[in-house]
Coordinates of all heavy atoms in Angstrom, one line a residue:
M1225 N 4.2 -26.0 6.2 CA 4.5 -24.5 6.3 C 5.4 -24.4 7.6 O 5.0 -24.9 8.6 CB 3.3 -23.7 6.4 CG 3.5 -22.3 6.7 SD 2.1 -21.2 7.1 CE 0.7 -21.9 6.2
T1226 N 6.5 -23.7 7.4 CA 7.3 -23.5 8.6 C 6.9 -22.2 9.3 O 6.4 -21.3 8.6 CB 8.8 -23.4 8.2 OG1 8.9 -22.5 7.1 CG2 9.4 -24.7 7.9
D1227 N 7.1 -22.1 10.6 CA 6.7 -21.0 11.4 C 8.0 -20.1 11.4 O 9.1 -20.5 11.2 CB 6.3 -21.3 12.8 CG 4.9 -21.9 12.8 OD1 4.1 -21.6 11.9 OD2 4.6 -22.6 13.7
A1228 N 7.8 -18.8 11.6 CA 8.8 -17.9 11.8 C 8.6 -17.0 13.1 O 7.4 -16.7 13.4 CB 8.9 -16.9 10.6
N1229 N 9.6 -16.7 13.8 CA 9.5 -15.9 15.0 C 9.9 -14.5 14.5 O 10.9 -14.3 13.9 CB 10.4 -16.3 16.1 CG 10.0 -17.6 16.6 OD1 8.8 -17.9 16.8 ND2 10.9 -18.5 16.9
I1230 N 9.0 -13.5 14.9 CA 9.3 -12.1 14.5 C 9.2 -11.3 15.8 O 8.2 -11.4 16.5 CB 8.2 -11.6 13.5 CG1 8.3 -12.5 12.2 CG2 8.4 -10.1 13.2 CD1 7.1 -12.2 11.3
R1231 N 10.2 -10.6 16.1 CA 10.2 -9.7 17.3 C 9.6 -8.4 17.0 O 10.2 -7.6 16.2 CB 11.6 -9.7 17.9 CG 12.1 -11.1 18.3 CD 13.5 -11.0 18.8 NE 13.6 -10.1 20.0 CZ 13.3 -10.5 21.3 NH1 12.9 -11.7 21.6 NH2 13.4 -9.7 22.3
I1232 N 8.6 -8.0 17.7 CA 8.0 -6.7 17.5 C 7.6 -6.3 19.0 O 7.5 -7.0 19.9 CB 6.8 -6.7 16.6 CG1 5.6 -7.5 17.2 CG2 7.1 -7.0 15.2 CD1 4.3 -7.4 16.4
P1233 N 7.4 -4.9 19.1 CA 7.0 -4.5 20.5 C 5.7 -5.1 20.9 O 4.9 -5.4 20.1 CB 6.9 -3.0 20.3 CG 7.7 -2.6 19.1 CD 7.7 -3.8 18.3
A1234 N 5.6 -5.4 22.2 CA 4.3 -6.1 22.7 C 3.2 -5.3 22.4 O 2.1 -5.8 22.1 CB 4.5 -6.2 24.2
E1235 N 3.2 -3.9 22.4 CA 2.0 -3.1 22.1 C 1.6 -3.4 20.6 O 0.4 -3.4 20.3 CB 2.4 -1.6 22.2 CG 2.7 -1.2 23.7 CD 4.2 -1.5 24.0 OE1 5.0 -1.7 23.1 OE2 4.5 -1.6 25.2
A1236 N 2.5 -3.5 19.7 CA 2.2 -3.8 18.3 C 1.5 -5.1 18.2 O 0.5 -5.3 17.5 CB 3.4 -3.7 17.4
R1237 N 2.1 -6.2 18.9 CA 1.6 -7.5 18.8 C 0.2 -7.5 19.4 O -0.7 -8.1 18.8 CB 2.5 -8.4 19.7 CG 2.0 -9.9 19.7 CD 2.4 -10.7 21.0 NE 2.0 -10.0 22.1 CZ 2.7 -9.8 23.3 NH1 3.9 -10.4 23.3 NH2 2.3 -9.2 24.3
D1238 N 0.0 -6.8 20.6 CA -1.4 -6.8 21.1 C -2.4 -6.2 20.3 O -3.5 -6.6 20.1 CB -1.3 -6.2 22.5 CG -0.5 -7.0 23.5 OD1 -0.2 -8.2 23.3 OD2 -0.1 -6.4 24.6
R1239 N -2.0 -5.1 19.6 CA -2.9 -4.4 18.7 C -3.2 -5.2 17.6 O -4.4 -5.3 17.1 CB -2.2 -3.0 18.3 CG -3.1 -2.3 17.2 CD -2.4 -1.0 17.0 NE -3.0 -0.2 15.9 CZ -4.2 0.4 16.0 NH1 -4.9 0.5 17.1 NH2 -4.7 1.0 14.9
L1240 N -2.3 -5.9 16.9 CA -2.6 -6.8 15.8 C -3.5 -7.9 16.3 O -4.4 -8.3 15.5 CB -1.3 -7.3 15.2 CG -0.4 -6.3 14.4 CD1 1.0 -6.8 14.1 CD2 -1.2 -5.9 13.2
A1241 N -3.2 -8.5 17.4 CA -4.0 -9.6 17.9 C -5.5 -9.1 18.1 O -6.4 -9.8 17.8 CB -3.4 -10.1 19.2
E1242 N -5.6 -7.9 18.6 CA -7.0 -7.4 18.8 C -7.7 -7.2 17.5 O -8.9 -7.5 17.3 CB -6.9 -6.1 19.6 CG -8.3 -5.4 19.9 CD -8.1 -4.1 20.7 OE1 -7.1 -3.9 21.3 OE2 -9.2 -3.4 20.7
I1243 N -7.0 -6.6 16.5 CA -7.6 -6.5 15.2 C -7.9 -7.8 14.6 O -9.0 -8.0 14.0 CB -6.6 -5.7 14.3 CG1 -6.4 -4.3 14.8 CG2 -7.1 -5.7 12.8 CD1 -5.2 -3.5 14.1
A1244 N -7.1 -8.8 14.7 CA -7.3 -10.1 14.2 C -8.5 -10.8 14.8 O -9.4 -11.3 14.1 CB -6.1 -11.0 14.4
A1245 N -8.6 -10.7 16.2 CA -9.7 -11.3 16.9 C -11.1 -10.6 16.5 O -12.0 -11.3 16.3 CB -9.5 -11.0 18.4
A1246 N -11.0 -9.3 16.2 CA -12.2 -8.6 15.8 C -12.7 -9.1 14.4 O -13.9 -9.0 14.2 CB -12.0 -7.1 15.8
E1247 N -11.8 -9.6 13.7 CA -12.2 -10.2 12.3 C -12.4 -11.7 12.4 O -12.5 -12.3 11.4 CB -11.1 -9.9 11.3 CG -11.0 -8.3 11.1 CD -10.1 -7.9 10.0 OE1 -9.9 -8.8 9.0 OE2 -9.7 -6.8 9.9
G1248 N -12.3 -12.2 13.6 CA -12.5 -13.7 13.8 C -11.3 -14.5 13.3 O -11.5 -15.7 13.0
L1249 N -10.1 -13.9 13.4 CA -9.0 -14.6 13.0 C -8.0 -14.8 14.1 O -7.9 -13.9 15.0 CB -8.3 -13.9 11.8 CG -9.1 -13.7 10.5 CD1 -8.4 -12.8 9.6 CD2 -9.3 -15.1 9.9
S1250 N -7.1 -15.8 14.0 CA -6.0 -15.8 14.9 C -4.9 -14.8 14.4 O -5.0 -14.3 13.2 CB -5.3 -17.2 14.9 OG -4.7 -17.4 13.6
L1251 N -4.0 -14.5 15.2 CA -2.9 -13.5 14.8 C -2.2 -14.1 13.6 O -1.9 -13.4 12.7 CB -2.0 -13.2 16.0 CG -0.9 -12.2 15.7 CD1 -1.4 -10.9 15.1 CD2 -0.1 -12.0 16.9
R1252 N -1.9 -15.4 13.7 CA -1.2 -16.0 12.6 C -1.9 -15.9 11.3 O -1.4 -15.6 10.2 CB -0.9 -17.5 13.0 CG -0.2 -18.3 12.0 CD -0.1 -19.8 12.3 NE 0.5 -20.5 11.4 CZ 0.9 -21.7 11.5 NH1 0.7 -22.3 12.6 NH2 1.6 -22.4 10.5
A1253 N -3.2 -16.2 11.3 CA -4.1 -16.2 10.1 C -4.1 -14.8 9.6 O -4.1 -14.5 8.4 CB -5.5 -16.7 10.4
Y1254 N -4.3 -13.8 10.5 CA -4.4 -12.4 10.1 C -3.1 -11.9 9.4 O -3.2 -11.3 8.3 CB -4.7 -11.5 11.3 CG -4.8 -10.1 11.0 CD1 -5.9 -9.5 10.4 CD2 -3.7 -9.2 11.3 CE1 -6.0 -8.2 10.1 CE2 -3.8 -7.9 10.9 CZ -5.0 -7.4 10.4 OH -5.0 -6.1 10.0
L1255 N -2.0 -12.3 10.0 CA -0.7 -11.9 9.4 C -0.4 -12.5 8.0 O 0.1 -11.9 7.1 CB 0.5 -12.1 10.4 CG 0.6 -11.2 11.6 CD1 1.6 -11.7 12.5 CD2 0.7 -9.8 11.2
A1256 N -0.9 -13.8 7.9 CA -0.8 -14.5 6.6 C -1.6 -13.8 5.5 O -1.2 -13.6 4.4 CB -1.1 -16.0 6.8
R1257 N -2.8 -13.5 6.0 CA -3.8 -12.8 5.0 C -3.2 -11.4 4.6 O -3.2 -11.0 3.5 CB -5.2 -12.6 5.6 CG -6.2 -12.1 4.6 CD -7.5 -11.9 5.2 NE -7.5 -10.7 6.1 CZ -8.5 -10.3 6.8 NH1 -9.6 -10.9 6.7 NH2 -8.4 -9.2 7.5
L1258 N -2.7 -10.7 5.6 CA -2.1 -9.4 5.4 C -0.9 -9.5 4.4 O -0.9 -8.7 3.4 CB -1.6 -8.8 6.7 CG -1.0 -7.4 6.6 CD1 -2.1 -6.4 6.1 CD2 -0.5 -7.0 8.0
A1259 N -0.1 -10.5 4.5 CA 1.1 -10.7 3.7 C 0.6 -11.0 2.2 O 1.2 -10.5 1.3 CB 2.0 -11.8 4.2
D1260 N -0.5 -11.6 2.2 CA -1.0 -12.0 0.8 C -1.6 -10.8 0.1 O -1.8 -10.8 -1.1 CB -2.1 -13.1 0.9 CG -1.5 -14.5 1.1 OD1 -0.3 -14.6 1.0 OD2 -2.2 -15.3 1.6
T1261 N -2.0 -9.7 0.9 CA -2.7 -8.7 0.3 C -1.8 -7.4 0.0 O -2.2 -6.6 -0.8 CB -3.9 -8.1 1.1 OG1 -3.4 -7.7 2.4 CG2 -4.9 -9.3 1.4
L1262 N -0.7 -7.4 0.6 CA 0.2 -6.3 0.3 C 1.1 -6.5 -0.8 O 1.5 -7.6 -1.2 CB 1.1 -6.0 1.6 CG 0.3 -5.7 2.9 CD1 1.3 -5.6 4.1 CD2 -0.4 -4.3 2.7
L1263 N 1.5 -5.4 -1.5 CA 2.4 -5.5 -2.6 C 3.9 -5.1 -2.2 O 4.0 -4.2 -1.4 CB 2.0 -4.5 -3.7 CG 0.6 -4.7 -4.3 CD1 0.2 -3.7 -5.3 CD2 0.5 -6.1 -5.0
T1264 N 4.8 -5.7 -2.8 CA 6.2 -5.3 -2.6 C 6.5 -4.1 -3.4 O 5.7 -3.7 -4.3 CB 7.2 -6.4 -3.0 OG1 7.0 -6.5 -4.5 CG2 6.9 -7.8 -2.4
P1265 N 7.6 -3.3 -3.1 CA 7.8 -2.1 -3.9 C 8.0 -2.5 -5.4 O 7.5 -1.7 -6.2 CB 9.2 -1.7 -3.3 CG 9.1 -2.1 -1.9 CD 8.4 -3.4 -2.0
A1266 N 8.5 -3.6 -5.7 CA 8.7 -4.1 -7.1 C 7.3 -4.3 -7.8 O 7.1 -3.9 -8.9 CB 9.6 -5.3 -7.2
E1267 N 6.4 -5.0 -7.0 CA 5.1 -5.2 -7.5 C 4.3 -3.9 -7.8 O 3.6 -3.8 -8.7 CB 4.3 -6.1 -6.6 CG 4.9 -7.5 -6.6 CD 4.3 -8.3 -5.4 OE1 3.9 -7.8 -4.3 OE2 4.3 -9.6 -5.5
R1268 N 4.4 -2.9 -6.8 CA 3.8 -1.6 -6.9 C 4.3 -0.9 -8.2 O 3.5 -0.3 -8.9 CB 4.0 -0.8 -5.7 CG 3.1 -1.2 -4.6 CD 3.0 -0.1 -3.5 NE 4.3 0.3 -3.0 CZ 5.0 -0.3 -2.0 NH1 4.4 -1.4 -1.4 NH2 6.1 0.2 -1.6
A1269 N 5.6 -0.9 -8.4 CA 6.2 -0.2 -9.5 C 5.7 -0.9 -10.8 O 5.4 -0.2 -11.8 CB 7.7 -0.3 -9.4
E1270 N 5.7 -2.2 -10.8 CA 5.2 -2.9 -12.1 C 3.8 -2.6 -12.4 O 3.4 -2.3 -13.5 CB 5.4 -4.4 -11.9 CG 5.3 -5.2 -13.2 CD 4.0 -6.0 -13.2 OE1 3.6 -6.5 -12.2 OE2 3.5 -6.1 -14.3
R1271 N 3.0 -2.6 -11.3 CA 1.5 -2.2 -11.5 C 1.3 -0.8 -12.0 O 0.5 -0.5 -12.8 CB 0.8 -2.4 -10.1 CG -0.7 -2.2 -10.3 CD -1.5 -2.6 -9.0 NE -1.5 -4.0 -8.9 CZ -2.2 -4.6 -7.9 NH1 -2.9 -3.9 -7.0 NH2 -2.3 -5.9 -7.8
A1272 N 2.1 0.1 -11.5 CA 2.0 1.5 -11.8 C 2.4 1.7 -13.3 O 1.8 2.4 -14.1 CB 3.0 2.4 -11.0
E1273 N 3.5 1.0 -13.8 CA 3.9 1.0 -15.2 C 2.8 0.4 -16.1 O 2.5 1.0 -17.2 CB 5.1 0.2 -15.4 CG 6.4 1.0 -15.0 CD 6.6 2.2 -15.8 OE1 6.4 2.2 -17.0 OE2 6.8 3.3 -15.2
R1274 N 2.1 -0.7 -15.7 CA 1.1 -1.2 -16.5 C -0.1 -0.3 -16.6 O -0.7 -0.1 -17.6 CB 0.6 -2.6 -15.9 CG 1.5 -3.8 -16.2 CD 0.9 -5.1 -15.9 NE -0.2 -5.1 -14.9 CZ 0.0 -5.7 -13.6 NH1 1.1 -6.3 -13.3 NH2 -1.0 -5.7 -12.7
T1275 N -0.4 0.4 -15.4 CA -1.5 1.3 -15.4 C -1.2 2.5 -16.3 O -2.1 2.9 -17.0 CB -1.8 1.8 -14.0 OG1 -2.1 0.6 -13.1 CG2 -2.9 2.8 -13.9
L1276 N 0.0 3.0 -16.2 CA 0.4 4.2 -17.1 C 0.3 3.7 -18.6 O -0.2 4.5 -19.4 CB 1.8 4.6 -16.7 CG 2.3 5.9 -17.4 CD1 1.3 7.0 -17.1 CD2 3.6 6.3 -16.9
A1277 N 0.7 2.6 -18.9 CA 0.6 2.1 -20.3 C -0.9 2.0 -20.8 O -1.2 2.4 -21.9 CB 1.3 0.7 -20.5
V1278 N -1.7 1.5 -19.9 CA -3.2 1.5 -20.2 C -3.7 2.9 -20.4 O -4.4 3.2 -21.4 CB -3.9 0.7 -19.2 CG1 -5.4 0.9 -19.3 CG2 -3.6 -0.8 -19.2
L1279 N -3.4 3.8 -19.5 CA -3.9 5.2 -19.7 C -3.3 5.8 -20.9 O -4.0 6.6 -21.6 CB -3.5 6.0 -18.4 CG -4.2 5.7 -17.1 CD1 -3.6 6.4 -16.0 CD2 -5.7 6.0 -17.3
R1280 N -2.1 5.6 -21.2 CA -1.5 6.2 -22.5 C -2.2 5.7 -23.7 O -2.6 6.5 -24.6 CB 0.0 5.7 -22.6 CG 1.0 6.8 -22.3 CD 2.4 6.4 -22.7 NE 3.2 6.6 -21.5 CZ 3.8 5.6 -20.8 NH1 3.7 4.4 -21.1 NH2 4.5 5.9 -19.7
E1281 N -2.5 4.4 -23.7 CA -3.3 3.9 -24.9 C -4.7 4.3 -24.9 O -5.2 4.6 -26.0 CB -3.2 2.3 -24.8 CG -3.8 1.6 -26.0 CD -3.7 0.1 -26.0 OE1 -2.6 -0.4 -25.5 OE2 -4.7 -0.5 -26.3
W1282 N -5.3 4.4 -23.8 CA -6.7 4.7 -23.7 C -7.0 6.2 -24.0 O -7.9 6.5 -24.8 CB -7.3 4.4 -22.3 CG -8.7 4.8 -22.1 CD1 -9.8 4.4 -22.9 CD2 -9.2 5.6 -21.0 NE1 -11.0 4.8 -22.3 CE2 -10.6 5.6 -21.2 CE3 -8.6 6.2 -20.0 CZ2 -11.4 6.3 -20.4 CZ3 -9.4 7.0 -19.2 CH2 -10.8 7.0 -19.3
N1283 N -6.2 7.1 -23.4 CA -6.5 8.5 -23.5 C -5.3 9.4 -23.8 O -5.5 10.6 -23.7 CB -7.4 9.1 -22.4 CG -6.6 9.0 -21.1 OD1 -5.4 8.8 -21.1 ND2 -7.3 9.4 -20.0
G1284 N -4.2 8.8 -24.1 CA -3.0 9.6 -24.3 C -2.3 10.2 -23.1 O -1.4 11.0 -23.3
Y1285 N -2.8 9.8 -22.0 CA -2.2 10.4 -20.7 C -0.7 10.0 -20.6 O -0.3 8.8 -20.7 CB -2.9 9.8 -19.5 CG -2.4 10.3 -18.2 CD1 -2.6 11.6 -17.8 CD2 -1.7 9.5 -17.3 CE1 -2.1 12.1 -16.6 CE2 -1.2 10.0 -16.1 CZ -1.4 11.3 -15.7 OH -1.0 11.8 -14.5
N1286 N 0.2 11.0 -20.6 CA 1.6 10.7 -20.5 C 2.3 11.9 -19.8 O 2.9 12.7 -20.4 CB 2.2 10.6 -22.0 CG 3.5 10.0 -22.0 OD1 4.0 9.4 -21.0 ND2 4.3 10.3 -23.1
P1287 N 2.2 11.9 -18.5 CA 2.8 13.0 -17.7 C 4.3 13.0 -17.8 O 4.9 11.9 -17.9 CB 2.2 12.8 -16.3 CG 2.1 11.3 -16.3 CD 1.7 10.9 -17.6
T1288 N 4.8 14.2 -17.7 CA 6.3 14.3 -17.5 C 6.7 14.0 -16.1 O 5.8 13.9 -15.3 CB 6.8 15.8 -17.8 OG1 6.2 16.6 -16.8 CG2 6.4 16.3 -19.2
K1289 N 7.9 13.8 -15.8 CA 8.4 13.5 -14.5 C 8.0 14.6 -13.5 O 7.7 14.4 -12.4 CB 9.9 13.2 -14.4 CG 10.3 11.9 -15.1 CD 9.8 10.7 -14.3 CE 10.1 9.5 -15.0 NZ 9.4 8.3 -14.4
A1290 N 8.1 15.8 -14.0 CA 7.7 17.0 -13.2 C 6.3 17.0 -12.8 O 5.9 17.3 -11.7 CB 8.1 18.3 -13.8
E1291 N 5.4 16.6 -13.8 CA 4.0 16.5 -13.6 C 3.7 15.4 -12.6 O 2.8 15.5 -11.7 CB 3.2 16.3 -14.9 CG 3.2 17.5 -15.8 CD 2.7 17.2 -17.2 OE1 3.0 16.1 -17.7 OE2 2.1 18.1 -17.7
E1292 N 4.4 14.3 -12.7 CA 4.2 13.1 -11.8 C 4.6 13.6 -10.4 O 3.8 13.3 -9.5 CB 5.1 12.0 -12.2 CG 4.5 11.2 -13.4 CD 5.4 10.0 -13.7 OE1 6.3 9.7 -13.0 OE2 5.1 9.3 -14.7
K1293 N 5.7 14.3 -10.2 CA 6.1 14.8 -8.9 C 5.0 15.7 -8.3 O 4.7 15.5 -7.1 CB 7.4 15.5 -9.1 CG 8.0 15.9 -7.7 CD 9.4 16.5 -7.9 CE 10.1 16.9 -6.7 NZ 9.4 17.6 -5.7
R1294 N 4.5 16.7 -9.1 CA 3.6 17.6 -8.6 C 2.2 16.9 -8.2 O 1.7 17.1 -7.2 CB 3.2 18.6 -9.7 CG 2.3 19.7 -9.2 CD 1.9 20.7 -10.3 NE 1.3 20.0 -11.5 CZ 0.0 19.5 -11.5 NH1 -0.8 19.6 -10.5 NH2 -0.5 19.0 -12.7
L1295 N 1.8 15.8 -9.1 CA 0.7 15.1 -8.7 C 0.8 14.3 -7.5 O 0.0 14.1 -6.6 CB 0.2 14.2 -9.9 CG -0.3 15.0 -11.1 CD1 -0.4 14.1 -12.3 CD2 -1.6 15.7 -10.8
D1296 N 2.0 13.7 -7.3 CA 2.3 12.9 -6.1 C 2.3 13.8 -4.8 O 1.7 13.4 -3.8 CB 3.7 12.2 -6.2 CG 3.8 11.0 -7.1 OD1 2.7 10.5 -7.5 OD2 4.8 10.6 -7.5
E1297 N 2.9 15.0 -5.0 CA 2.9 15.9 -3.9 C 1.5 16.3 -3.5 O 1.1 16.4 -2.4 CB 3.7 17.1 -4.2 CG 5.2 16.8 -4.2 CD 6.0 17.9 -4.8 OE1 5.4 18.9 -5.3 OE2 7.3 17.8 -4.7
E1298 N 0.6 16.5 -4.5 CA -0.8 16.9 -4.3 C -1.6 15.7 -3.6 O -2.3 16.0 -2.6 CB -1.5 17.3 -5.6 CG -2.9 17.6 -5.5 CD -3.3 18.8 -4.6 OE1 -2.4 19.6 -4.3 OE2 -4.5 19.0 -4.3
L1299 N -1.3 14.5 -4.0 CA -2.0 13.4 -3.4 C -1.5 13.2 -1.9 O -2.3 13.0 -1.1 CB -1.7 12.1 -4.2 CG -2.2 10.8 -3.6 CD1 -3.7 10.9 -3.5 CD2 -1.8 9.6 -4.5
D1300 N -0.2 13.4 -1.7 CA 0.3 13.3 -0.3 C -0.3 14.4 0.5 O -0.7 14.1 1.7 CB 1.8 13.5 -0.3 CG 2.6 12.3 -0.9 OD1 2.0 11.2 -1.0 OD2 3.8 12.5 -1.2
R1301 N -0.4 15.6 0.0 CA -1.1 16.7 0.8 C -2.5 16.3 1.2 O -3.0 16.5 2.2 CB -1.0 18.0 0.0 CG -1.6 19.2 0.8 CD -1.7 20.4 -0.2 NE -2.8 20.2 -1.2 CZ -4.1 20.3 -0.9 NH1 -4.6 20.5 0.3 NH2 -5.0 20.1 -1.9
R1302 N -3.2 15.9 0.1 CA -4.7 15.5 0.4 C -4.9 14.4 1.4 O -5.7 14.4 2.2 CB -5.4 15.2 -1.0 CG -5.6 16.4 -1.8 CD -6.3 16.0 -3.1 NE -6.4 17.2 -3.9 CZ -7.3 17.3 -4.9 NH1 -8.2 16.3 -5.2 NH2 -7.4 18.4 -5.7
L1303 N -4.0 13.3 1.2 CA -4.0 12.2 2.2 C -3.8 12.7 3.6 O -4.4 12.3 4.6 CB -3.1 11.1 1.8 CG -3.5 10.3 0.6 CD1 -2.3 9.4 0.1 CD2 -4.7 9.5 0.8
A1304 N -2.7 13.5 3.8 CA -2.4 14.1 5.0 C -3.5 14.9 5.6 O -3.8 14.8 6.8 CB -1.1 14.9 5.0
E1305 N -4.2 15.7 4.8 CA -5.3 16.5 5.3 C -6.5 15.6 5.7 O -7.1 15.9 6.7 CB -5.8 17.4 4.1 CG -6.9 18.3 4.4 CD -7.2 19.2 3.2 OE1 -6.4 20.1 2.9 OE2 -8.3 19.0 2.6
A1306 N -6.7 14.5 4.9 CA -7.8 13.6 5.2 C -7.6 12.9 6.5 O -8.6 12.6 7.2 CB -7.9 12.6 4.0
I1307 N -6.4 12.6 6.9 CA -6.1 11.9 8.1 C -5.8 12.8 9.2 O -5.4 12.4 10.4 CB -5.1 10.8 8.0 CG1 -3.8 11.3 7.6 CG2 -5.6 9.7 7.0 CD1 -2.6 10.2 7.5
G1308 N -5.8 14.1 9.0 CA -5.6 15.1 10.0 C -4.1 15.3 10.4 O -3.9 15.6 11.6
R1309 N -3.2 15.2 9.6 CA -1.8 15.4 9.9 C -1.4 16.8 9.7 O -1.7 17.4 8.7 CB -0.9 14.4 9.2 CG -0.9 13.1 9.7 CD 0.2 12.2 9.0 NE 0.1 10.8 9.4 CZ 0.7 9.9 8.8 NH1 1.5 10.2 7.9 NH2 0.5 8.7 9.2

């Protein structure tokens, strides 16, 4: 495995190192694990399409684009409220 140098602000590096240490990991191991758990935008879109197909087949759920937009806005509002923004 080759290493890569990534330039980030020292504060971000230190925060990530602290989080990693709290989980008993090196910063390198923590970042590798993080990369393995996150989805790319393409992976998220593909998962969303698969989920929508399952819902359509299971219970006929088939929102219009306007309904999707309204639901996305409602979710964004609730998330912002939950984290105090």
